Amino acid sequence: MPMENGYNEVSGVVNGSKYSYEDVQRIAQSVLDRVKCRPHIGIICGSGLGGLAEVLGDKEIIQYEDIEGFPVSTVPGHAGRLVFGSLQGKQVVLMQGRAHLYEGYDVHKIILPVRVMKLMEVRILFVTNAAGGINQDFNVGDIMIIKDHFNMPGFAAVNPLVGPNDDRFGPRFPPASQCYSYRLRKLIQETGEKLGMKDFIQNGVYCFLGGPSFETVTECRFLKVAGVDATGMSTVPEVLVANHCGMEVCGISLITNKCVMDYDSKQVANHEEVLETGEKRAKDMQQLISTVVADL
Ligand SMILES: O=P(O)(O)O[C@H]1O[C@H](CO)[C@@H](O)[C@H]1O
């Protein structure tokens, strides 16, 4: 039976955001009421990359658990705080930690913070993540500018845009072939080169998988054939929603480990290595993003 909010009770399908436009407006306003900052730039920090918050000036911090509807972080390396402040003279809001499907969150809950940022008037979104290198030319510690993505769960309709569409957020059928802003990709590349990072900056395709298991050897080999350069368990839901609502988006993956491509390899992926690499490259990631922000 159709329900008031457009959900279909009979189908049992989880379709459509639990948060209406009015809900998101209310949540955004309740956040803005608690801070002085009025950011136009948003940054989502991936596993172990939340240290960027340390370089913000005039910080104002809200815990996710104190914001209606926000998913609480349950993964080490994701502090679960919304940090407002100034970066290179620009007002920004930074998500220190994100939610993932494998934590048990519905994809619509994962993207709520992005819609809240949109209604707080954030126009540019930086999305970062830790990812495993599928491309064998990539080294651990490389920084990959995302040029496109592969939404593997999307093949089974795991997409935050599934469900009733509210045109006030964006169109029913948004294009997804230019999710990662050409302008920002070029700016990140040029900035990285100026900062002497050319040797460890790559460009490539990110694949989103559900996790929490790391990939099998066969899955990694499949991704390689599919043209994927790096894989992880996040980012794509946020990027799809940010594009849908008209934000300019860029994505940066830190290659924290090499994916295992050999059936007889003794190597195994692990979250500790992911966090360790994040720590080692933290300063470079911070410098790169801060300098790009300064030039926006
Ligand atoms: O994508 P982020 O949040 O950076 O985290 C990555 O690191 C975790 C695995 O170590 C997974 O959550 C994967 O998606």
Side-chain angles (χ1 to χ4, degrees):
M1 201 170 69
M3 293 161 66
E4 268 174 26
N5 56 10
Y7 296 90
N8 185 336
E9 206 176 21
V10 174
S11 74
V13 174
V14 181
N15 61 351
S17 174
K18 294 189 190 86
Y19 302 96
S20 66
Y21 192 88
E22 287 73 20
D23 289 335
V24 181
Q25 263 180 331
R26 186 185 63 252
I27 297 168
Q29 193 55 54
S30 82
V31 172
L32 287 177
D33 286 346
R34 283 182 259 174
V35 293
K36 291 196 198 77
C37 182
R38 291 292 176 264
H40 296 307
I41 299 170
I43 304 170
I44 301 179
C45 298
S47 285
L49 301 172
L52 182 58
E54 284 159 27
V55 301
L56 298 194
D58 304 322
K59 278 199 279 284
E60 300 174 279
I61 298 172
I62 308 179
Q63 304 285 340
Y64 292 166
E65 62 218 41
D66 295 329
I67 306 175
E68 181 190 342
F70 262 48
V72 174
S73 299
T74 66
V75 184
H78 291 262
R81 313 188 308 170
L82 203 54
V83 184
F84 291 82
S86 75
L87 184 61
Q88 302 283 341
K90 308 266 167 60
Q91 309 224 316
V92 303
V93 55
L94 183 142
M95 285 180 65
Q96 225 181 7
R98 63 151 61 83
H100 308 81
L101 280 183
Y102 62 77
E103 293 173 80
Y105 290 119
D106 183 280
V107 69
H108 299 104
K109 185 124 174 143
I110 289 174
I111 58 77
L112 175 66
V114 175
R115 285 196 166 153
V116 169
M117 283 194 216
K118 169 68 184 180
L119 297 197
M120 293 193 310
E121 298 197 1
V122 167
R123 300 191 193 110
I124 297 180
L125 185 66
F126 286 76
V127 187
T128 69
N129 61 53
I134 294 285
N135 186 325
Q136 295 302 286
D137 295 335
F138 287 5
N139 294 309
V140 170
D142 280 358
I143 290 173
M144 183 185 88
I145 303 167
I146 305 178
K147 63 179 178 193
D148 197 13
H149 69 228
F150 187 8
N151 181 16
M152 189 76 98
F155 283 24
V158 179
N159 181 316
L161 303 176
V162 166
N165 187 64
D166 189 324
D167 292 345
R168 287 174 292 179
F169 283 123
R172 169 75 293 183
F173 297 112
S177 51
Q178 290 172 13
C179 283
Y180 302 87
S181 156
Y182 181 81
R183 175 181 88 103
L184 295 179
R185 284 194 279 129
K186 292 298 149 221
L187 182 58
I188 298 169
Q189 178 74 39
E190 284 162 19
T191 306
E193 286 176 16
K194 273 189 217 143
L195 292 170
M197 298 181 182
K198 192 169 194 274
D199 289 349
F200 57 89
I201 294 220
Q202 309 281 2
N203 286 262
V205 176
Y206 176 86
C207 177
F208 166 45
L209 296 172
S213 328
F214 286 104
E215 302 69 39
T216 66
V217 172
T218 308
E219 286 162 357
C220 290
R221 290 179 168 221
F222 171 80
L223 295 181
K224 185 174 174 215
V225 173
V228 167
D229 295 294
T231 190
M233 308 169 195
S234 71
T235 300
V236 169
E238 294 119 302
V239 168
L240 287 171
V241 163
N243 267 274
H244 181 241
C245 64
M247 290 180 179
E248 188 178 14
V249 179
C250 62
I252 304 175
S253 293
L254 175 63
I255 307 301
T256 52
N257 55 289
K258 283 193 165 210
C259 288
V260 182
M261 308 295 276
D262 176 355
Y263 291 102
D264 297 325
S265 170
K266 298 274 179 296
Q267 299 225 305
V268 287
N270 63 87
H271 191 57
E272 291 65 38
E273 184 187 8
V274 169
L275 295 182
E276 256 169 49
T277 312
E279 217 164 279
K280 284 188 197 141
R281 267 282 181 254
K283 289 278 169 289
D284 292 314
M285 289 285 280
Q286 286 164 20
Q287 196 189 12
L288 181 61
I289 294 174
S290 319
T291 314
V292 171
V293 166
D295 286 347
L296 283 175

